[in-house]
Every structure is written in structure tokens, then in C-alpha cells.
Amino acid sequence: MYIINESSDYEKLSRFFFDNGLETETGIERPDNVIKCWECIDSKNSKIIGGASLENRNGEFVVADMAVDIGYRKEKLGTKLMNMLEEEIMKMGGDEAWLVGKTPVFYLKLGWEIVARNQAPEISKCFICSKFGNECNPEIMHKVITENKQTERNRRGQL
Ligand SMILES: CC(C)(COP(=O)(O)OP(=O)(O)OC[C@H]1O[C@@H](n2cnc3c(N)ncnc32)[C@H](O)[C@@H]1OP(=O)(O)O)[C@@H](O)C(=O)NCCC(=O)NCCS
């Protein structure tokens, strides 16, 4: 059993992201552009087993961090966190979101689409990172959150 809470301890959560392979900066105060962040806690031992954060980057909703502890992967916890994020974005009035996906297949399965870099807004610093192109090959990804809007965008050929 686990519970997902909004996190009040950004430092601890950012350490969790870092330890799970993300490039999240640790040991800093919560950046101003973090809209919300969540932690998933194993009720048995109070350990953080998953987490996610949502940022505002250049006016866009961006899923900035998303990780599940290695011992708890492939049990749909990542899917639950992503579904929750989308609901939160809708509650905030958003109808689309972006992310930079290191594991594109996971996001493709959840309905996200890969977008060419030159067609995406400025939401990523990955392309100037020293890891880019060798140990890390992320994709810019996009999802229209509201079904009706997706249909409308597809019809207009925008995505
Ligand atoms: C990516 C991550 C969050 C997925 O979490 P998870 O709880 O294991 O994912 P789920 O169990 O909800 O998986 C949903 C589906 O995606 C697939 N999937 C999950 N991770 C995958 C990966 N790394 N590569 C390919 N497919 C993946 C699962 O097999 C599952 O497929 P199915 O529906 O056909 O069974 C987790 O692997 C992780 O924390 N990785 C390290 C950090 C990271 O890379 N985060 C993403 C940064 S952009």
C-alpha cells in the first residue's frame, strides 16, 4: 500500500529524483517555477518510492521530474503519478503539457507524442548538457490533456 501526497520537503524529494537517475539539482531551495510536487510513500516503512514535479517553464506546464524507486517499477505507479499530474493540470485550467522524456516508450504508452525540437517551446536545457547524445537521448514530448482539444488539434493538423 502507498499514498501520494503533495510534498512539503523539496530537498528530500530532489535527492530522491537525483538518486533515481534524474539530473535534478539537489541541496537547493524549491525553485520558484515549481508549481507543485508530489511524493509517493510506502505505508509500511514510510520510504519515498516515487515522486513527480510540475513546473512552469516559459508559461507552459512541464512535467519536470518523474521517478519510481527501482524496487517498485513496472507496477503502474508511474502511470498513477502521470494520471494524477494530468488531473492536476486540468484542475489548474491547463489543457496541454510538455516534458523531456528520457524513457519515451513509457510516455508514448500514456498517449504522449514526440515533437521535433524545432516545433517545441523552450522548455529544456538538455541539449546543452554534456550527457546529451551519448548517455542520454531524451525526446521532447507533448500531450493534449483534454480529449476534445486533441481532436480539434489533430483536425487542424497542428500535432
Ligand atoms: C520511467 C518510470 C517513472 C516508469 O515508472 P513505472 O512505475 O515503472 O511505470 P509503469 O509501471 O506505470 O509502466 C507503464 C508502462 O510503461 C512501460 N515502461 C515503464 N518504464 C519503461 C521504460 N523505462 N522503458 C520502456 N517502457 C517502460 C511498462 O512496461 C508499462 O508497459 P505496459 O503498460 O505495456 O505494461 C521509472 O522506470 C523510473 O523512475 N525510471 C528512472 C527515472 C526516469 O527515467 N524517469 C523518467 C525521466 S523523463
Side-chain angles (χ1 to χ4, degrees), residues 27-106:
I28 57 162
E29 303 241 320
R30 176 176 153 147
D32 287 344
N33 67 329
V34 174
I35 301 169
K36 271 188 176 188
C37 48
W38 298 265
E39 59 188 13
C40 181
I41 305 286
D42 186 332
S43 333
K44 275 186 272 167
N45 51 21
S46 302
K47 178 180 157 182
I48 299 188
I49 58 169
S53 74
L54 184 66
E55 290 186 4
N56 176 337
R57 292 190 192 162
N58 286 330
E60 306 284 351
F61 284 108
V62 175
V63 178
D65 300 288
M66 160 62 52
V68 170
D69 181 282
I70 195 157
Y72 296 78
R73 289 182 195 162
K74 306 276 167 96
E75 293 175 16
K76 304 288 179 203
L77 180 49
T79 299
K80 286 214 172 82
L81 283 164
M82 287 303 292
N83 289 342
M84 182 208 66
L85 272 163
E86 289 180 23
E87 277 168 33
E88 291 281 337
I89 290 167
M90 278 196 283
K91 277 191 222 157
M92 288 181 237
D95 60 8
E96 64 178 337
W98 296 86
L99 60 80
V100 186
K102 293 172 71 164
T103 52
V105 175
F106 166 67

